Amino acid sequence: MKNIFLFGECMIELMTASNDATSNMLKQSFAGDVFNTAVYLKRTFPHVKVRLVTAVGKDNFSLDMIKYFESENIDTDLVFQSESKIPGLYSIQLDDQGERSFTYWRENSAARTVMDFIDESATDILTSGDMFFFSGISLAVIQPEARASFWQKLVQLKTAGVKIVFDPNYRARMWKDKEETIQAYEQAFKLADIALPGVEDFDSLYGINSVEGVIDFCQSYGISELVVKNGPASVITILDGEKELHQVTPVKTVVDTTSAGDSFNGVYLGARLADASIAESVDKASKAAGFVIQHKGAIAPKALFNDFVQQL
Ligand code: ADP
């Protein structure tokens, strides 16, 4: 059985429960970029062993969160429980025009301390993986002083033959300044075997706004498998120097683009672990992302998504 570790934060999500802007009813759920990726990977490829690497607390929200992971068949043996911390939280609110805004309470979350738990025995388990996935958000979440140890672990994993997978997923407000991000991403790109950048991220961080620019940048690091997501326009891949352009069928009625990139990543990596070709993996990933953006929230309803998977 192939197995992948996904390293990041899952948060408590509070979302406006009705479309009526005067209502203050909130619906509680759980989400976070890497967790969303894990969910879509496992739902689409149940034969891949999917393990989340994170820290939560011992409070009731944390216990419910762990139950939620398990309900999605995500393995929790590397979900650590802090004695003193609790999970981060965010809210999605709709204004009068239906525009969404996000508010976060995550500065002191349990997930920030995850590196404290990655001891030798956890590292041994991680070296047994086929892939290790992390994002720019995962990097921003861990405490800056823990990053050196994170890079050391990545080198160990890479040496053991684990494929390192990085999605830059840049969120400016999570970083002190661009310089800090650029330094951290430099390490990430150096170590990545597979990178899944979006053109938009490169524009805001490096001022690079074309697919060609992103490719040139990434190729200078010798990344063997590069997947450039260009929204509804196209996906461009380069595997061992061989470039392919993949068309995306634009969705007519987009309901909520949350998790488009996350679902794409999950299905793409699952397909690659199942030995699908690049073209087939991109095709499935694009279709899954196209499905997800027709539904509200980060995690599309399980039964509907499972029906969709049957036709994939
Ligand atoms: P994110 O900003 O979340 O990283 P992207 O905008 O890069 O996401 O989109 C990720 C993937 O979702 C794209 O590569 C594409 O396959 C799919 N996608 C995004 N927007 C659309 C759309 N309007 N119609 C169809 N597919 C889309």
Side-chain angles (χ1 to χ4, degrees):
M1 191 186 227
K2 290 284 177 69
N3 74 95
I4 178 167
F5 292 94
L6 300 106
F7 177 92
E9 176 170 35
C10 183
M11 288 170 287
I12 300 160
E13 179 192 80
L14 297 178
M15 185 163 42
T16 315
S18 97
N19 288 332
D20 172 4
T22 60
S23 160
N24 58 6
M25 291 270 284
L26 294 170
K27 181 177 173 290
Q28 188 256 303
S29 177
F30 298 107
D33 70 326
V34 167
F35 167 67
N36 307 339
T37 296
V39 168
Y40 289 114
L41 197 166
K42 186 69 187 180
R43 283 185 184 179
T44 315
F45 296 94
H47 297 302
V48 174
K49 191 170 170 70
V50 175
R51 278 184 276 190
L52 206 57
V53 186
T54 194
V56 297
K58 293 198 160 165
D59 55 289
N60 284 334
F61 278 112
S62 294
L63 300 183
D64 283 350
M65 200 186 267
I66 292 173
K67 276 193 208 141
Y68 189 50
F69 299 161
E70 287 166 350
S71 76
E72 291 288 349
N73 301 310
I74 292 171
D75 284 43
T76 55
D77 51 340
L78 291 185
V79 174
F80 302 100
Q81 286 184 276
S82 161
E83 289 294 333
S84 55
K85 304 275 182 183
I86 53 175
L89 177 147
Y90 77 106
S91 74
I92 310 172
Q93 284 170 305
L94 289 177
D95 69 12
D96 299 347
Q97 272 77 48
E99 284 296 318
R100 291 173 312 145
S101 66
F102 295 84
T103 312
Y104 294 91
W105 295 262
R106 71 194 305 186
E107 298 74 20
N108 196 25
S109 70
R112 287 202 174 263
T113 66
V114 63
M115 287 308 296
D116 297 349
F117 297 93
I118 312 289
D119 55 13
E120 255 176 61
S121 78
T123 310
D124 278 349
I125 298 173
L126 290 170
T127 54
S128 70
D130 294 291
M131 282 184 190
F132 179 91
F133 173 78
F134 69 108
S135 73
I137 297 178
S138 322
L139 272 182
V141 163
I142 54 174
Q143 285 143 340
E145 54 277 15
R147 283 190 203 131
S149 143
F150 180 73
W151 303 128
Q152 254 175 16
K153 300 286 173 198
L154 278 201
V155 171
Q156 256 178 287
L157 300 192
K158 199 176 163 83
T159 310
V162 182
K163 275 196 175 159
I164 307 297
V165 189
F166 177 55
D167 178 343
N169 231 346
Y170 175 54
R171 296 290 180 273
R173 66 172 138 188
M174 295 182 73
W175 295 90
K176 192 170 79 204
D177 52 32
K178 279 190 184 169
E179 203 40 54
E180 188 197 20
T181 322
I182 288 169
Q183 270 181 23
Y185 281 23
E186 169 90 12
Q187 297 296 325
F189 283 120
K190 271 189 193 159
L191 289 165
D193 297 291
I194 304 178
L196 301 151
V199 177
E200 257 178 53
D201 287 336
F202 266 66
D203 194 9
S204 31
L205 182 59
Y206 301 105
I208 297 174
N209 57 14
S210 69
V211 170
E212 285 310 319
V214 176
I215 291 174
D216 288 348
F217 179 96
C218 292
Q219 282 198 315
S220 67
Y221 290 96
I223 296 162
S224 58
E225 187 169 330
L226 178 64
V227 182
V228 183
K229 292 168 282 181
N230 193 16
S234 58
V235 174
I236 294 89
T237 55
I238 302 194
L239 175 67
D240 298 327
E242 197 170 314
K243 188 170 165 184
E244 273 185 272
L245 171 73
H246 312 262
Q247 300 299 337
V248 172
T249 311
V251 163
K252 288 194 189 80
T253 34
V254 176
V255 174
D256 180 354
T257 56
T258 308
S259 226
D262 305 338
S263 52
F264 181 99
N265 290 349
V267 175
Y268 180 82
L269 294 174
R272 294 295 286 146
L273 284 165
D275 293 326
S277 69
I278 296 269
E280 193 188 332
S281 305
V282 171
D283 182 57
K284 286 192 158 78
S286 291
K287 284 181 179 151
F291 177 87
V292 166
I293 61 179
Q294 294 176 65
H295 296 85
K296 208 174 155 189
I299 306 292
K302 200 173 189 171
L304 290 180
F305 189 82
N306 287 346
D307 284 348
F308 158 80
V309 168
Q310 297 308 314
Q311 298 144 36
L312 200 58

Short mmCIF file of all heavy atoms in Angstrom, two decimals, residues 161-202:
data_model
loop_
_atom_site.label_atom_id
_atom_site.label_comp_id
_atom_site.label_asym_id
_atom_site.label_seq_id
_atom_site.Cartn_x
_atom_site.Cartn_y
_atom_site.Cartn_z
N GLY A 161 14.57 8.36 0.59
CA GLY A 161 13.82 8.03 -0.64
C GLY A 161 12.38 8.51 -0.65
O GLY A 161 11.62 8.17 -1.56
N VAL A 162 11.99 9.30 0.37
CA VAL A 162 10.62 9.84 0.38
C VAL A 162 10.58 11.03 -0.59
O VAL A 162 11.46 11.89 -0.55
CB VAL A 162 10.25 10.34 1.81
CG1 VAL A 162 8.81 10.87 1.83
CG2 VAL A 162 10.46 9.26 2.84
N LYS A 163 9.55 11.08 -1.44
CA LYS A 163 9.43 12.22 -2.36
C LYS A 163 8.88 13.42 -1.60
O LYS A 163 7.84 13.33 -0.94
CB LYS A 163 8.46 11.88 -3.50
CG LYS A 163 9.14 11.16 -4.62
CD LYS A 163 8.31 11.17 -5.88
CE LYS A 163 9.14 10.53 -6.98
NZ LYS A 163 8.33 10.04 -8.08
N ILE A 164 9.55 14.54 -1.74
CA ILE A 164 9.14 15.76 -1.02
C ILE A 164 8.27 16.59 -1.97
O ILE A 164 8.68 16.90 -3.09
CB ILE A 164 10.38 16.58 -0.59
CG1 ILE A 164 11.38 15.71 0.20
CG2 ILE A 164 9.97 17.82 0.18
CD1 ILE A 164 10.87 15.17 1.51
N VAL A 165 7.07 16.94 -1.50
CA VAL A 165 6.10 17.65 -2.34
C VAL A 165 5.75 18.99 -1.70
O VAL A 165 5.37 19.03 -0.52
CB VAL A 165 4.80 16.83 -2.52
CG1 VAL A 165 3.91 17.48 -3.56
CG2 VAL A 165 5.11 15.38 -2.88
N PHE A 166 5.85 20.07 -2.48
CA PHE A 166 5.63 21.41 -1.93
C PHE A 166 4.65 22.20 -2.78
O PHE A 166 4.80 22.29 -4.00
CB PHE A 166 6.99 22.14 -1.87
CG PHE A 166 6.91 23.57 -1.39
CD1 PHE A 166 6.33 23.89 -0.17
CD2 PHE A 166 7.46 24.60 -2.15
CE1 PHE A 166 6.28 25.21 0.28
CE2 PHE A 166 7.42 25.93 -1.71
CZ PHE A 166 6.83 26.23 -0.49
N ASP A 167 3.63 22.78 -2.12
CA ASP A 167 2.75 23.76 -2.77
C ASP A 167 3.00 25.10 -2.07
O ASP A 167 2.71 25.23 -0.88
CB ASP A 167 1.27 23.35 -2.61
CG ASP A 167 0.34 24.39 -3.24
OD1 ASP A 167 0.78 25.53 -3.50
OD2 ASP A 167 -0.84 24.08 -3.45
N PRO A 168 3.52 26.10 -2.80
CA PRO A 168 3.88 27.37 -2.13
C PRO A 168 2.71 28.05 -1.40
O PRO A 168 2.92 28.71 -0.39
CB PRO A 168 4.39 28.24 -3.28
CG PRO A 168 4.75 27.30 -4.37
CD PRO A 168 3.88 26.10 -4.22
N ASN A 169 1.49 27.95 -1.89
CA ASN A 169 0.31 28.49 -1.20
C ASN A 169 0.64 29.70 -0.32
O ASN A 169 0.61 29.61 0.91
CB ASN A 169 -0.31 27.38 -0.34
CG ASN A 169 -1.79 27.23 -0.62
OD1 ASN A 169 -2.42 28.10 -1.22
ND2 ASN A 169 -2.38 26.13 -0.17
N TYR A 170 0.91 30.82 -0.92
CA TYR A 170 1.41 32.01 -0.20
C TYR A 170 0.28 32.81 0.43
O TYR A 170 -0.65 33.22 -0.25
CB TYR A 170 2.20 32.87 -1.19
CG TYR A 170 2.68 34.19 -0.62
CD1 TYR A 170 3.42 34.23 0.56
CD2 TYR A 170 2.40 35.40 -1.27
CE1 TYR A 170 3.88 35.43 1.08
CE2 TYR A 170 2.85 36.61 -0.76
CZ TYR A 170 3.58 36.62 0.42
OH TYR A 170 4.01 37.81 0.94
N ARG A 171 0.37 33.02 1.76
CA ARG A 171 -0.59 33.88 2.47
C ARG A 171 0.22 34.98 3.17
O ARG A 171 0.78 34.76 4.24
CB ARG A 171 -1.38 33.09 3.51
CG ARG A 171 -2.26 32.00 2.95
CD ARG A 171 -3.47 32.53 2.19
NE ARG A 171 -4.28 31.45 1.67
CZ ARG A 171 -4.08 30.84 0.50
NH1 ARG A 171 -3.07 31.20 -0.28
NH2 ARG A 171 -4.87 29.85 0.11
N ALA A 172 0.24 36.16 2.54
CA ALA A 172 1.12 37.24 3.01
C ALA A 172 0.94 37.53 4.50
O ALA A 172 1.92 37.75 5.22
CB ALA A 172 0.85 38.50 2.18
N ARG A 173 -0.30 37.51 4.98
CA ARG A 173 -0.51 37.97 6.35
C ARG A 173 0.05 37.00 7.41
O ARG A 173 0.12 37.33 8.58
CB ARG A 173 -1.99 38.24 6.61
CG ARG A 173 -2.88 37.02 6.56
CD ARG A 173 -4.28 37.40 7.02
NE ARG A 173 -5.28 36.76 6.16
CZ ARG A 173 -6.56 37.04 6.22
NH1 ARG A 173 -6.99 37.97 7.03
NH2 ARG A 173 -7.40 36.41 5.45
N MET A 174 0.43 35.78 6.97
CA MET A 174 0.98 34.84 7.93
C MET A 174 2.48 35.01 8.14
O MET A 174 3.07 34.34 8.98
CB MET A 174 0.70 33.40 7.47
CG MET A 174 -0.78 33.07 7.46
SD MET A 174 -1.07 31.38 6.98
CE MET A 174 -0.53 30.52 8.44
N TRP A 175 3.09 35.89 7.33
CA TRP A 175 4.55 36.05 7.39
C TRP A 175 4.90 37.45 7.90
O TRP A 175 4.14 38.40 7.68
CB TRP A 175 5.15 35.86 6.00
CG TRP A 175 4.98 34.47 5.47
CD1 TRP A 175 3.93 34.00 4.73
CD2 TRP A 175 5.86 33.35 5.65
NE1 TRP A 175 4.11 32.67 4.42
CE2 TRP A 175 5.29 32.25 4.97
CE3 TRP A 175 7.08 33.19 6.30
CZ2 TRP A 175 5.90 31.00 4.94
CZ3 TRP A 175 7.69 31.93 6.26
CH2 TRP A 175 7.10 30.86 5.59
N LYS A 176 6.09 37.56 8.51
CA LYS A 176 6.56 38.86 9.00
C LYS A 176 6.72 39.81 7.81
O LYS A 176 6.23 40.92 7.81
CB LYS A 176 7.90 38.66 9.73
CG LYS A 176 8.37 39.83 10.53
CD LYS A 176 9.57 39.44 11.38
CE LYS A 176 10.78 39.41 10.50
NZ LYS A 176 11.92 38.74 10.66
N ASP A 177 7.43 39.35 6.78
CA ASP A 177 7.59 40.13 5.56
C ASP A 177 7.97 39.17 4.42
O ASP A 177 8.18 37.97 4.65
CB ASP A 177 8.66 41.22 5.73
CG ASP A 177 9.97 40.66 6.28
OD1 ASP A 177 10.30 39.51 5.96
OD2 ASP A 177 10.66 41.37 7.02
N LYS A 178 8.05 39.73 3.21
CA LYS A 178 8.34 38.87 2.05
C LYS A 178 9.71 38.22 2.15
O LYS A 178 9.91 37.10 1.69
CB LYS A 178 8.26 39.70 0.75
CG LYS A 178 6.85 39.89 0.27
CD LYS A 178 6.81 40.48 -1.12
CE LYS A 178 5.37 40.76 -1.52
NZ LYS A 178 5.25 41.55 -2.72
N GLU A 179 10.65 38.95 2.74
CA GLU A 179 12.02 38.42 2.86
C GLU A 179 12.02 37.09 3.61
O GLU A 179 12.68 36.13 3.22
CB GLU A 179 12.89 39.47 3.57
CG GLU A 179 14.37 39.35 3.30
CD GLU A 179 14.70 39.01 1.85
OE1 GLU A 179 14.26 39.70 0.90
OE2 GLU A 179 15.39 37.99 1.67
N GLU A 180 11.24 37.06 4.71
CA GLU A 180 11.17 35.84 5.51
C GLU A 180 10.60 34.68 4.67
O GLU A 180 11.11 33.56 4.70
CB GLU A 180 10.28 36.08 6.74
CG GLU A 180 10.31 34.92 7.72
CD GLU A 180 9.16 34.94 8.73
OE1 GLU A 180 8.13 35.60 8.48
OE2 GLU A 180 9.31 34.25 9.75
N THR A 181 9.56 34.99 3.90
CA THR A 181 8.94 33.94 3.06
C THR A 181 9.91 33.45 2.01
O THR A 181 10.06 32.24 1.79
CB THR A 181 7.69 34.51 2.33
OG1 THR A 181 7.01 35.38 3.20
CG2 THR A 181 6.77 33.41 1.87
N ILE A 182 10.56 34.40 1.35
CA ILE A 182 11.45 34.04 0.24
C ILE A 182 12.59 33.14 0.74
O ILE A 182 12.93 32.15 0.10
CB ILE A 182 11.96 35.33 -0.47
CG1 ILE A 182 10.81 35.94 -1.27
CG2 ILE A 182 13.18 35.05 -1.36
CD1 ILE A 182 11.05 37.32 -1.82
N GLN A 183 13.09 33.45 1.92
CA GLN A 183 14.16 32.62 2.50
C GLN A 183 13.66 31.20 2.77
O GLN A 183 14.34 30.21 2.46
CB GLN A 183 14.63 33.22 3.82
CG GLN A 183 15.77 34.20 3.64
CD GLN A 183 16.22 34.76 4.98
OE1 GLN A 183 16.02 34.16 6.03
NE2 GLN A 183 16.82 35.93 4.93
N ALA A 184 12.48 31.10 3.36
CA ALA A 184 11.94 29.77 3.69
C ALA A 184 11.63 29.00 2.39
O ALA A 184 11.94 27.81 2.28
CB ALA A 184 10.68 29.91 4.54
N TYR A 185 11.03 29.68 1.42
CA TYR A 185 10.66 29.00 0.17
C TYR A 185 11.90 28.53 -0.60
O TYR A 185 11.85 27.52 -1.30
CB TYR A 185 9.81 29.93 -0.72
CG TYR A 185 8.35 30.03 -0.31
CD1 TYR A 185 7.95 29.74 1.00
CD2 TYR A 185 7.37 30.42 -1.22
CE1 TYR A 185 6.62 29.85 1.37
CE2 TYR A 185 6.03 30.51 -0.85
CZ TYR A 185 5.67 30.24 0.44
OH TYR A 185 4.34 30.33 0.80
N GLU A 186 12.99 29.26 -0.44
CA GLU A 186 14.25 28.87 -1.10
C GLU A 186 14.64 27.45 -0.66
O GLU A 186 14.98 26.60 -1.48
CB GLU A 186 15.31 29.90 -0.67
CG GLU A 186 16.74 29.57 -1.01
CD GLU A 186 17.15 30.10 -2.37
OE1 GLU A 186 16.39 30.91 -2.92
OE2 GLU A 186 18.22 29.69 -2.86
N GLN A 187 14.55 27.22 0.64
CA GLN A 187 14.86 25.88 1.18
C GLN A 187 13.87 24.85 0.64
O GLN A 187 14.24 23.75 0.26
CB GLN A 187 14.75 25.88 2.71
CG GLN A 187 15.72 26.76 3.42
CD GLN A 187 17.16 26.30 3.18
OE1 GLN A 187 17.42 25.11 3.08
NE2 GLN A 187 18.06 27.24 3.05
N ALA A 188 12.60 25.25 0.63
CA ALA A 188 11.54 24.31 0.21
C ALA A 188 11.74 23.91 -1.26
O ALA A 188 11.68 22.72 -1.59
CB ALA A 188 10.18 24.95 0.42
N PHE A 189 12.01 24.88 -2.11
CA PHE A 189 12.21 24.56 -3.53
C PHE A 189 13.47 23.71 -3.73
O PHE A 189 13.50 22.85 -4.59
CB PHE A 189 12.29 25.85 -4.36
CG PHE A 189 10.95 26.48 -4.62
CD1 PHE A 189 10.67 27.77 -4.19
CD2 PHE A 189 9.94 25.79 -5.30
CE1 PHE A 189 9.43 28.36 -4.42
CE2 PHE A 189 8.70 26.37 -5.54
CZ PHE A 189 8.45 27.66 -5.10
N LYS A 190 14.50 23.97 -2.92
CA LYS A 190 15.74 23.19 -3.05
C LYS A 190 15.48 21.72 -2.76
O LYS A 190 16.09 20.84 -3.36
CB LYS A 190 16.78 23.71 -2.06
CG LYS A 190 17.64 24.83 -2.61
CD LYS A 190 18.77 25.12 -1.63
CE LYS A 190 19.45 26.43 -1.96
NZ LYS A 190 20.16 26.98 -0.82
N LEU A 191 14.59 21.47 -1.79
CA LEU A 191 14.38 20.08 -1.36
C LEU A 191 13.25 19.38 -2.11
O LEU A 191 13.14 18.15 -2.06
CB LEU A 191 14.10 20.05 0.15
CG LEU A 191 15.30 20.38 1.02
CD1 LEU A 191 14.89 20.70 2.45
CD2 LEU A 191 16.28 19.21 1.01
N ALA A 192 12.40 20.14 -2.80
CA ALA A 192 11.20 19.54 -3.40
C ALA A 192 11.53 18.65 -4.61
O ALA A 192 12.32 19.03 -5.46
CB ALA A 192 10.23 20.64 -3.82
N ASP A 193 10.89 17.48 -4.65
CA ASP A 193 10.94 16.63 -5.85
C ASP A 193 9.75 16.98 -6.75
O ASP A 193 9.84 16.87 -7.96
CB ASP A 193 10.83 15.15 -5.46
CG ASP A 193 12.00 14.72 -4.59
OD1 ASP A 193 13.11 14.67 -5.13
OD2 ASP A 193 11.80 14.48 -3.38
N ILE A 194 8.64 17.31 -6.11
CA ILE A 194 7.43 17.70 -6.85
C ILE A 194 6.99 19.06 -6.31
O ILE A 194 6.94 19.26 -5.09
CB ILE A 194 6.27 16.69 -6.62
CG1 ILE A 194 6.71 15.26 -7.00
CG2 ILE A 194 5.01 17.10 -7.38
CD1 ILE A 194 5.65 14.19 -6.75
N ALA A 195 6.69 20.02 -7.22
CA ALA A 195 6.15 21.31 -6.77
C ALA A 195 4.85 21.57 -7.51
O ALA A 195 4.71 21.23 -8.69
CB ALA A 195 7.16 22.43 -7.01
N LEU A 196 3.90 22.17 -6.79
CA LEU A 196 2.56 22.41 -7.34
C LEU A 196 2.19 23.89 -7.20
O LEU A 196 1.23 24.23 -6.50
CB LEU A 196 1.54 21.55 -6.57
CG LEU A 196 1.75 20.04 -6.59
CD1 LEU A 196 1.20 19.39 -5.32
CD2 LEU A 196 1.07 19.42 -7.80
N PRO A 197 2.94 24.78 -7.83
CA PRO A 197 2.66 26.21 -7.63
C PRO A 197 1.47 26.72 -8.45
O PRO A 197 1.15 26.17 -9.50
CB PRO A 197 3.95 26.87 -8.14
CG PRO A 197 4.48 25.92 -9.16
CD PRO A 197 4.08 24.54 -8.73
N GLY A 198 0.86 27.79 -7.94
CA GLY A 198 -0.16 28.51 -8.70
C GLY A 198 0.46 29.82 -9.20
O GLY A 198 1.30 30.40 -8.50
N VAL A 199 0.05 30.26 -10.37
CA VAL A 199 0.65 31.48 -10.94
C VAL A 199 0.36 32.68 -10.02
O VAL A 199 1.22 33.54 -9.79
CB VAL A 199 0.16 31.73 -12.38
CG1 VAL A 199 0.73 33.03 -12.93
CG2 VAL A 199 0.55 30.57 -13.29
N GLU A 200 -0.84 32.71 -9.45
CA GLU A 200 -1.23 33.85 -8.58
C GLU A 200 -0.27 34.04 -7.41
O GLU A 200 0.10 35.16 -7.06
CB GLU A 200 -2.62 33.61 -8.00
CG GLU A 200 -3.70 34.41 -8.67
CD GLU A 200 -5.06 34.10 -8.08
OE1 GLU A 200 -5.21 34.20 -6.85
OE2 GLU A 200 -5.96 33.73 -8.87
N ASP A 201 0.14 32.92 -6.79
CA ASP A 201 1.07 32.99 -5.64
C ASP A 201 2.38 33.63 -6.06
O ASP A 201 2.96 34.42 -5.32
CB ASP A 201 1.40 31.58 -5.12
CG ASP A 201 0.23 30.98 -4.38
OD1 ASP A 201 -0.60 31.74 -3.87
OD2 ASP A 201 0.17 29.74 -4.31
N PHE A 202 2.85 33.25 -7.23
CA PHE A 202 4.13 33.77 -7.70
C PHE A 202 4.05 35.26 -7.99
O PHE A 202 5.00 36.00 -7.81
CB PHE A 202 4.60 33.00 -8.94
CG PHE A 202 5.53 31.88 -8.60
CD1 PHE A 202 5.06 30.79 -7.88
CD2 PHE A 202 6.87 31.93 -8.94
CE1 PHE A 202 5.90 29.77 -7.52
CE2 PHE A 202 7.73 30.91 -8.59
CZ PHE A 202 7.25 29.82 -7.88
#
